[in-house]
Amino acid sequence: MAHEQVFGLLGRKLGHSWSVPIHTALGCRDYRLIELEPEALPAFLRNTNIGGCNVTIPYKRDVMAYCDVIDDTARDIGSVNTLVRRKDGKLYAWNTDAAGFCYMLRRAGIDVAGGKVVILGSGGASLTAQAMCRHLGAREVVVISRSGENNYENLSRHADADIVVNTTPVGMFPGNGAAPVDLAAFPACRGVADVVYNPRRTALLLQAEALGIPCTDGLPMLVAQAKAAEEHFFGAAIPDSENERILAQLRQETANIVLIGMPGCGKTTVGEALARLTGREAIDIDQRIVQTAGRSIPDIFARDGEAAFRELERRETAEAGKLSGKIILTGGGVVKDPRNYASLRQNGRIYHLTRNLDALPTDGRPLSQETDLAVMWAQREPLYARFRDAVIDNNGTVEDTAAAIWRDFCAHSGD
């Protein structure tokens, strides 16, 4: 009796992977994560039932020794990420990351032709990026590694770089907030690509956004390479439109809905209504602070002062912002620390709830009780404006407000 074919992603640590939902959306219901230690790799690759496997860190080069037929592009690149055991018993290999990488750049409007490209990292993804940038007509391709001739200590020699590509895991979940380089080192930069896809916006991409530089995360590459891999798995063409359909679906499922606004503007009640409407979990930052501190917020203010509270708020906001597919409810003053913007923006679309000042309650809100709300609004409105993606009026019913947010989110979560 024939054994069931194996489909999945082969790697060492795969807890962060989004490959299963992508391949499921492409129709491969049996796709799974296959975590193996190096010593288990040879036995797995001798398996006669490999239907189709993708390969990720750290095995993209290691598997080549076990492949019978390697596609010319993959051989030229020096790494593979797609394996299929065909009916002739041979193990065939391709590098579909190549197609994914080109799709990612094209979709973001980043043209490397004639330009100087700096590639951060020297692993398997770097090999693909190097080969494809040369294929696309880059004038010069420079690889930055920790110990190579071109390294992070002498970036200044490449200040004329036009395009920066990050192929390292720096900034990837759960190491959110780290950046491999400061883009200030590349004043001529006109495009930034980061192969990391969780978070949606790494610190590198947030800086590119702030500088007005066209940029992209790695999810379009991941989706496009998966489509190309599925074509090899099953020997059938898949329409290119599937890339955008699945990308939009994943963006909507994984992006956070973030609510900011004045104390008492209705973030908690609107968040609860959104949770009912969407089936998503609502994460209340203030509640997390109370749980962590073991004390009420008025007590923290009274005994430790506002600065101590803001530090607790910053830490809890950083942790909540790493999550995906949640509703995040913030305190009214979260916008006072600019560092919170990166935490909330990295995976989220930020909604500023507004309500008439005379309708804002002040009970249990230390700063609201001590301050004229009109003065607080005047101070905070520019900060809310700096954080927000959209303004939502909350002077009507909670259900209407939640519905308005969800409509906007469904329309713009892929932005």
Side-chain angles (χ1 to χ4, degrees):
M1 188 176 74
H3 291 287
E4 187 177 339
Q5 285 190 304
V6 176
F7 294 92
L9 175 65
L10 176 62
R12 193 170 185 183
K13 295 272 189 264
L14 301 173
H16 67 280
S17 175
W18 291 1
S19 290
V20 170
I22 293 173
H23 284 272
T24 299
L26 283 162
C28 187
R29 303 287 174 189
D30 300 321
Y31 197 92
R32 58 191 174 89
L33 300 181
I34 305 166
E35 289 191 345
L36 293 179
E37 290 300 312
E39 59 270 19
L41 194 62
F44 177 83
L45 293 172
R46 286 194 291 269
N47 187 340
T48 58
N49 299 313
I50 293 175
C53 285
N54 290 114
V55 185
T56 189
I57 297 169
Y59 300 134
K60 290 187 178 187
R61 284 178 277 192
D62 297 348
V63 299
M64 295 179 76
Y66 302 90
C67 297
D68 300 297
V69 181
I70 300 176
D71 173 71
D72 289 344
T73 300
R75 193 177 293 283
D76 290 345
I77 290 170
S79 78
V80 306
N81 78 316
T82 299
L83 306 174
V84 174
R85 179 83 66 194
R86 287 191 172 164
K87 289 181 180 178
D88 61 9
K90 293 180 179 180
L91 191 61
Y92 288 73
W94 298 265
N95 188 314
T96 60
D97 280 339
F101 182 81
C102 294
Y103 178 80
M104 171 182 71
L105 292 186
R106 185 169 66 249
R107 188 178 185 277
I110 297 173
D111 184 5
V112 303
K116 176 173 180 174
V117 182
V118 162
I119 297 174
L120 310 176
S122 55
S126 174
L127 294 176
T128 301
Q130 293 170 48
M132 290 302 99
C133 285
R134 293 190 180 101
H135 172 74
L136 293 169
R139 181 183 82 252
E140 183 180 357
V141 176
V142 176
V143 176
I144 306 293
S145 60
R146 284 192 294 264
S147 55
E149 176 191 354
N150 297 297
N151 54 64
Y152 295 93
E153 303 303 315
N154 59 28
L155 287 176
S156 58
R157 65 167 70 168
H158 304 296
D160 59 339
D162 299 292
I163 310 293
V164 174
V165 179
N166 177 45
T167 68
T168 78
V170 175
M172 183 173 76
F173 177 87
N176 304 47
V181 294
D182 182 343
L183 291 175
F186 308 106
C189 181
R190 54 177 173 78
V192 177
D194 195 332
V195 301
V196 171
Y197 58 87
N198 183 13
R200 162 80 186 278
R201 300 173 190 87
T202 58
L204 185 71
L205 294 184
L206 285 169
Q207 187 183 19
E209 270 191 359
L211 293 170
I213 300 171
C215 59
T216 178
D217 67 314
L219 193 57
M221 175 178 173
L222 184 70
V223 171
Q225 71 78 26
K227 181 187 86 77
E230 288 275 330
E231 291 176 328
H232 292 303
F233 290 177
F234 299 107
I238 298 172
D240 286 343
S241 58
E242 284 293 89
N243 285 333
E244 289 303 311
R245 180 185 73 81
I246 293 168
L247 192 56
Q249 177 183 319
L250 281 170
R251 292 290 196 217
Q252 185 169 316
E253 289 174 0
T254 58
N256 294 323
I257 299 171
V258 181
L259 306 186
I260 64 172
M262 287 281 281
C265 71
K267 296 183 293 291
T268 301
T269 51
V270 170
E272 290 168 352
L274 269 170
R276 290 192 297 271
L277 178 65
T278 66
R280 292 177 170 227
E281 180 187 8
I283 306 288
D284 189 313
I285 302 290
D286 281 352
Q287 284 182 7
R288 288 199 162 195
I289 293 168
V290 170
Q291 289 167 358
T292 301
R295 296 150 57 197
S296 71
I297 289 174
D299 186 53
I300 296 170
F301 267 86
R303 289 166 54 184
D304 303 331
E306 183 178 359
F309 172 79
R310 294 298 171 207
E311 177 56 23
L312 290 172
E313 182 178 56
R314 185 192 66 76
R315 289 183 207 161
E316 293 297 338
T317 301
E319 287 305 307
K322 292 180 181 181
L323 302 173
S324 299
K326 307 296 185 185
I327 300 163
I328 298 180
L329 315 176
T330 66
V334 72
V335 294
K336 295 179 74 172
D337 188 333
R339 293 174 294 183
N340 290 331
Y341 175 75
S343 297
L344 298 172
R345 173 68 175 158
Q346 63 181 333
N347 280 326
R349 182 164 173 82
I350 303 175
Y351 291 92
H352 177 197
L353 287 192
T354 59
R355 179 184 273 174
N356 296 337
L357 293 183
D358 57 13
L360 299 180
T362 59
D363 290 349
R365 306 173 193 276
L367 295 182
S368 296
Q369 290 173 340
E370 298 169 4
T371 310
D372 182 320
L373 289 180
V375 172
M376 181 187 284
W377 171 252
Q379 293 169 341
R380 290 190 182 177
E381 199 282 331
L383 304 180
Y384 292 132
R386 196 175 303 159
F387 271 57
R388 71 194 178 206
D389 292 301
V391 178
I392 301 288
D393 182 276
N394 189 34
N395 285 298
T397 69
V398 166
E399 289 72 20
D400 285 349
T401 302
I405 291 171
W406 184 239
R407 280 195 303 273
D408 178 274
F409 182 77
C410 291
H412 296 287
S413 53
D415 293 353

